[in-house]
Amino acid sequence: MTTAVIIVAAGSGTRLGLNRPKAFIEVAGLTLAQRSVDAVREADPHAQIVLVVPAGQSPLPAGVTVVTGGATRHESVAAGLSALNTDVDTLLVHDAARALASANLFTRVVEHVHATGAGVVPSLPVSDAIKRVDVHGAVTESVDRSVLAAVQTPQGFPRADLEAAYASVRADDHNDDAAVFIASGRTVHTIPGEANAFKITTLSDLERAQALLVPVNRGHRIGSGTDVHAFGSRRGLWLAGLQWPEELELAGHSDGDSASHAVVDALLSAASLGDIGGMVGTDDPKFAGAHGEVFIREAVARLRAAGYEPVNVTVQILGNRPKLAPRREEAQQLLSEWVGAPVSVSATTTDGLGLMGEGKGIAATATALIRPVD
Ligand code: CTP
Ligand code: MG
């Protein structure tokens, strides 16, 4: 048994209103077309995938048969039919717009086509009350929803039967493949559809897809930290984990590395673990003259003991000197290694204002994001 899936992706997405073909809009980093391709591959790595696209579309997913679509969905499906491999016996047609249809849905449709030899459409019961309305919007009649179903794609058929159906019906009378199939006198069954296989038509549909795909940052917390030290009289500054031999050192507890200390405070405050002053017993020999690494690793260990791990940290240094840019990368790598998550380092002067502007010392502020350990 060989399966092909025609993914129709040649529509313009007028109702979405983004001025780009809908199937090539990205949701959570992947285009709608790519998501459909991925679901088919997961369901059946050997299936032929025919992707029907607007003229001139690029880039395109790899490893698929690409065909240019027509002015209507019907024409686009017909274009896809012309590109099938000869050995295909089971054919599915899928709207790229239903980008969240699962691999399992594709598998179930194929199985049902094999089992019945009929056409198969996924469907959901209609939950809204349904009314017939006239051209003015006045309700003329209530419709019994128990006899209605909302149908989705992928729709599956024996290949030869769908080809025969398309060859025998008028192009403009049918809104989906099941309609074409039925108009040619053939049978279509329903199987349970998926709520997530909804058609992305409007911006709110796109937002719904986004919300389903991007996991909520459950349990994440942020913290902030600030540290300020005045310059001392000797050279040999420690800042952002690095030594700067030509620069004046910072006075204060340990090595005075205000950037590292701000990172520690940000991490600790994110988990409500107090601050560096509470962590470092003033007479604890472990911390006498210690450098940033000791404090940062201790803070991360306390974070983990409390059930959290860092996601990322930013630290900004405020001062006239030293120039950070030439060593930014070095500093970021070192701090990231100690934190165990990306640390970005930036710097600014204070336009000559305040203690930093007067060149009396260096301040740093940091922000940390943490999450519960799995
Ligand atoms: N489609 C197609 N060729 C067309 C029209 C539609 O391949 N000429 C595809 C769309 O890409 C979509 C599916 O058919 O995957 C369902 O169509 P629809 O949701 O209406 O998409 P669009 O036609 O792109 O959107 P709109 O009607 O808002 O312009
Ligand atoms: Mg359309």
Side-chain angles (χ1 to χ4, degrees):
M1 296 282 206
T2 307
T3 300
V5 182
I6 297 175
I7 300 174
V8 281
S12 52
T14 324
R15 286 168 287 178
L16 202 55
L18 294 178
N19 290 320
R20 273 183 296 151
K22 182 163 72 181
F24 296 88
I25 302 285
E26 281 188 8
V27 185
L30 289 178
T31 64
L32 303 190
Q34 184 69 55
R35 289 188 178 280
S36 295
V37 168
D38 291 350
V40 175
R41 289 234 171 87
E42 188 187 334
D44 179 359
H46 306 295
Q48 183 193 6
I49 299 176
V50 179
L51 185 63
V52 187
V53 303
Q57 179 63 45
S58 73
L60 292 166
V64 303
T65 309
V66 175
V67 178
T68 301
T72 62
R73 185 185 182 283
H74 186 100
E75 285 178 26
S76 293
V77 175
L81 289 172
S82 69
L84 296 176
N85 292 339
T86 48
D87 63 345
V88 168
D89 51 37
T90 303
L91 180 58
L92 272 56
V93 183
H94 181 56
D95 290 343
R98 298 186 184 273
L100 273 56
S102 74
N104 179 256
L105 186 60
F106 284 87
T107 302
R108 286 194 291 116
V109 169
V110 170
E111 284 172 357
H112 213 80
V113 173
H114 289 170
T116 63
V120 175
V121 296
S123 83
L124 293 176
V126 175
S127 51
D128 291 320
I130 303 293
K131 309 289 180 199
R132 201 177 297 281
V133 293
D134 65 17
V135 287
H136 308 293
V139 173
T140 57
E141 191 189 351
S142 291
V143 180
D144 175 11
R145 70 174 170 225
S146 70
V147 298
L148 299 177
V151 309
Q152 308 178 319
T153 70
Q155 303 188 349
F157 312 90
R159 180 244 181 107
D161 289 344
L162 189 67
E163 279 178 335
Y166 262 82
S168 71
V169 303
R170 273 166 47 92
D172 42 8
D173 287 352
H174 312 287
N175 58 7
D176 68 357
D177 312 289
V180 171
F181 207 72
I182 290 164
S184 72
R186 294 174 167 87
T187 303
V188 175
H189 295 302
T190 61
I191 61 168
E194 289 180 344
N196 284 357
F198 63 92
K199 188 155 72 103
I200 297 173
T201 305
T202 62
L203 269 184
S204 73
D205 297 327
L206 198 65
E207 283 162 11
R208 180 177 164 200
Q210 177 91 23
L212 285 163
L213 289 166
V214 179
V216 180
N217 294 334
R218 202 166 297 158
H220 284 49
R221 301 171 58 126
I222 60 163
S224 62
T226 302
D227 194 40
V228 187
H229 287 292
F231 286 121
S233 51
R234 285 179 304 170
R235 304 218 169 255
L237 170 71
W238 286 90
L239 187 67
L242 303 175
Q243 188 165 33
W244 309 69
E246 307 305 318
E247 302 289 333
L248 285 180
E249 66 170 14
L250 290 168
H253 190 70
S254 71
D255 64 357
D257 181 345
S258 45
S260 294
H261 298 172
V263 168
V264 168
D265 271 355
L267 290 168
L268 294 175
S269 74
S272 294
L273 292 173
D275 54 31
I276 193 167
M279 186 177 89
V280 182
T282 32
D283 43 3
D284 190 334
K286 179 160 82 172
F287 299 112
H291 296 302
E293 177 170 10
V294 175
F295 298 103
I296 290 177
R297 288 196 190 276
E298 175 72 19
V300 171
R302 290 183 182 213
L303 215 60
R304 288 192 175 277
Y308 290 99
E309 63 187 5
V311 176
N312 77 308
V313 178
T314 68
V315 57
Q316 184 174 42
I317 295 164
L318 296 89
N320 296 339
R321 316 172 48 92
K323 279 269 164 288
L324 177 80
R327 300 189 72 187
R328 180 205 309 277
E329 196 49 47
E330 203 185 336
Q332 291 187 155
Q333 275 180 19
L334 205 57
L335 295 174
S336 300
E337 189 192 317
W338 300 342
V339 170
V343 178
S344 55
V345 183
S346 62
T348 183
T349 66
T350 59
D351 211 12
L353 298 175
L355 299 178
M356 310 311 138
E358 290 164 19
K360 292 183 173 167
I362 299 179
T365 66
T367 305
L369 183 66
I370 64 171
R371 67 179 160 221
V373 178
D374 287 336

